[in-house]
Amino acid sequence: MNEELIYQALETVEIPKGCVATYKQIACLIGRENSRLVGKILANASYYGHYPCHRVVNFQGRLVPSWFEQKNY
């Protein structure tokens, strides 16, 4: 995967506290249409630093089912 694309997506998820965004919104902001690509990047975000990925939800506003830490933020 392109490092420039990864950092572009990670910079976009600097979402303020109390706000959320969808994977599709992040994809659109970086000029892509593939929300799954954004999900894959965010799944590995810890390799690049600390990003507020827990503020990104699916298109229905639901949390990731198996990511219990996301609910606590």
Side-chain angles (χ1 to χ4, degrees), residues 17 20 23 42-43 46 50-57 62-73:
K17 189 173 185 175
V20 295
Y23 294 99
L42 298 184
S46 62
H50 182 70
Y51 296 91
C53 299
H54 56 278
R55 297 185 184 134
V56 181
V57 295
R62 288 198 238 159
L63 306 177
V64 176
S66 59
W67 189 16
F68 302 108
E69 294 85 8
Q70 187 181 32
K71 187 187 292 186
N72 295 327
Y73 286 98

Side-chain angles (χ1 to χ4, degrees), residues 4-43:
E4 183 179 333
L5 175 64
I6 291 169
Y7 282 109
Q8 192 176 26
L10 293 175
E11 287 174 6
T12 306
V13 294
E14 293 293 337
I15 302 165
K17 189 173 185 175
C19 297
V20 295
T22 66
Y23 294 99
K24 182 69 173 180
Q25 288 172 325
I26 301 297
C28 289
L29 287 171
I30 63 171
R32 302 291 176 143
E33 294 184 19
N34 191 341
S35 56
R36 288 181 184 232
L37 174 67
V38 173
K40 187 173 184 175
I41 291 170
L42 298 184

